Amino acid sequence: MPGDPVDRAHTLLDLGRPEEAERMVREVLASDPDDPHAVAVLALCVHRLGRYDELVAISERLIALDPDSFVGYAMLSSGLGNDRRFAEAVEPARTAVRLRPDDASVQAGLAEALAMTGQGAEAVRAAVEAVRLAPDDPGVMEIWGFVLAKTERWGEAVAPLAAAVGKDPLNAQHRFRLGCVLLRLGRYDEVREQWSAMLAAEPSERNVRWVHDELVTELVPAPLAGLFQQACLALHGEELDIPAVREYALGRLLEENPAAAHRVVERLTSPDALLLRALVRKHDGEHEEAAELLVRAHAEGCRSDALYQAAMVSCLRAGAFADGARLAEEAVGLFPDVPAYLWFHAKYLLALGEVEAARPLAARYARLEPGAEADELVAELG
């Protein structure tokens, strides 16, 4: 390796060891924080590690130190783009090209920024120039395929994206973008292959959300429901139990795309399927059916907080007071510090005429949650 520590860090980065490179270059910056070469390598490390929230600030610092740094402008454009500030990303990408027109990655960065802002014709020109400069570079191939996809040339986009995956199979973005194109072409088995491989190799929250959100956008095609469930399960990490993650994911899907939520839950065969279907029915205001499904789910062993929360509302709306009281009593026992369960338990007992049994529950509720609602409950008891 070269003798200069910043050059050594750059070499480590080229060897695919960005964590080591970052540690080395930060040691240099600790003694000389204004070394533009070191800041440039730091920006490249942070970019490679996908820490885009830091990239904008580091890139702006680099540009302040060296106004002619094409790396600074290219990394600034990438950071803004990954922060979904697409319109702001275009001008720094143009500046990077003016400073280094013969750099394929810089041309590709401009092509991506232009494609993101709907400037298809100019994006194609920049992408073609990037391919001319580096026809075998997987990153350039990916951007070329992405630009073709953004201009709705779906069939043409497959080859360059597949070539990028072939040359760099561990790159998540290559596989994700290829999967997006295959999804539009209805080639679902290949979509599953690409995205499953991506998630197996790098099951990060970013990658899971890419898959989840793309499938939601496309109304979760039936052959990909299983993959969608896998993405849902991974959204909040493996430390959560499967039902809890599914409930969270379904709730998010109901808010974003109710039609997709209906299609997914009707195909579920897992033990918590009854609960998930009940949540959909509750969301639709079909409380009698929701209450029935919730009681069945409880009978089959479901004891999650989501079940109790849904049952409190749906059993009350459906007039299923006995079932509601039974579930509320159990919920209070399992979650004694949740005021809502005390309130519902008292309301159910009142509906059943058990006023004396409701009084201590109302008193506990008033202590935990003083206010108008507590006052009304106490007044109902007389």
Side-chain angles (χ1 to χ4, degrees):
M1 287 188 186
D4 180 80
V6 179
D7 288 338
R8 290 205 305 275
H10 203 300
T11 300
L12 286 170
L13 187 63
D14 290 340
L15 292 171
R17 295 154 65 182
E19 293 90 351
E20 296 175 58
E22 182 185 5
R23 283 196 295 272
M24 187 173 291
V25 79
R26 285 194 183 278
E27 289 176 7
V28 173
L29 289 169
S31 57
D32 185 3
D34 294 331
D35 181 342
H37 187 197
V39 177
V41 175
L42 177 62
L44 293 170
C45 291
V46 169
H47 179 266
R48 183 73 61 85
L49 292 166
R51 302 209 310 265
Y52 301 111
D53 53 335
E54 300 174 45
L55 187 56
V56 171
I58 294 171
S59 302
E60 288 174 337
R61 177 180 163 201
L62 174 56
I63 292 167
L65 293 169
D66 181 5
D68 292 326
S69 171
F70 80 95
V71 172
Y73 288 102
M75 292 296 98
L76 176 59
S77 176
S78 180
L80 291 168
N82 279 282
D83 196 32
R84 306 191 69 80
R85 295 157 64 182
F86 302 126
E88 297 174 63
V90 173
E91 195 50 42
R94 290 191 196 280
T95 302
V97 167
R98 285 197 294 271
L99 291 167
R100 188 63 67 88
D102 59 346
D103 187 292
S105 64
V106 170
Q107 291 282 359
L110 175 59
E112 184 172 34
L114 291 166
M116 283 294 197
T117 52
Q119 301 177 65
E122 193 177 352
V124 168
R125 287 196 292 272
V128 167
E129 179 62 12
V131 171
R132 185 189 70 79
L133 291 166
D136 296 321
D137 184 282
V140 169
M141 292 175 186
E142 181 212 304
I143 297 299
W144 174 225
F146 175 70
V147 169
L148 289 170
K150 277 291 185 180
T151 52
E152 298 188 1
R153 294 158 64 178
W154 306 109
E156 296 175 62
V158 173
L161 287 166
V165 169
K167 286 183 172 292
D168 189 3
L170 297 181
N171 186 295
Q173 188 161 285
H174 296 346
R175 288 191 181 274
F176 173 69
R177 285 181 164 170
L178 175 57
C180 290
V181 170
L182 295 167
L183 181 59
R184 267 64 178 190
L185 294 171
R187 293 160 60 174
Y188 299 127
D189 288 344
E190 295 170 79
V191 176
R192 189 183 302 106
E193 177 187 345
Q194 292 300 328
W195 287 352
S196 296
M198 178 185 83
L199 293 173
E202 190 185 326
S204 66
E205 183 173 346
R206 180 196 66 173
N207 292 348
V208 167
R209 288 196 181 279
W210 279 353
V211 169
H212 175 275
D213 294 347
E214 190 67 17
L215 288 175
V216 168
T217 300
E218 291 300 299
L219 296 177
V220 192
L224 295 174
L227 179 62
F228 175 75
Q229 286 184 58
Q230 290 177 37
C232 288
L233 298 182
L235 271 175
H236 275 234
E238 295 178 0
E239 72 277 10
L240 294 179
D241 65 308
I242 286 175
V245 179
R246 282 186 176 157
E247 289 151 20
Y248 168 85
L250 182 70
R252 183 163 180 256
L253 183 58
L254 278 167
E255 294 303 316
E256 294 178 356
N257 195 326
H262 283 68
R263 291 172 57 187
V264 169
V265 297
E266 292 306 325
R267 288 192 297 271
L268 292 177
T269 57
S270 58
D272 54 318
L274 287 171
L275 171 60
L276 297 181
R277 289 175 186 155
L279 294 175
V280 172
R281 298 293 180 268
K282 174 180 172 290
H283 179 273
D284 292 344
E286 299 170 4
H287 292 289
E288 287 189 17
E289 189 173 350
E292 180 184 338
L293 288 165
L294 289 163
V295 169
R296 286 173 55 197
H298 182 267
E300 292 190 14
C302 185
R303 299 291 185 273
S304 75
D305 192 31
L307 179 137
Y308 295 114
Q309 288 183 37
M312 296 304 95
V313 174
S314 289
C315 288
L316 194 62
R317 298 277 181 86
F321 302 135
D323 286 327
R326 178 170 55 86
L327 292 173
E329 182 178 12
E330 192 172 285
V332 167
L334 291 171
F335 307 99
D337 297 324
V338 177
Y341 290 144
L342 291 165
W343 185 89
F344 274 108
H345 194 191
K347 293 290 282 188
Y348 279 119
L349 291 173
L350 273 171
L352 293 169
E354 300 180 27
V355 177
E356 293 306 314
R359 290 189 193 282
L361 294 166
R364 281 174 61 194
Y365 175 73
R367 286 195 299 273
L368 289 169
E369 198 86 359
E373 201 165 48
D375 293 342
E376 289 174 14
L377 182 59
V378 172
E380 279 188 71
L381 290 166

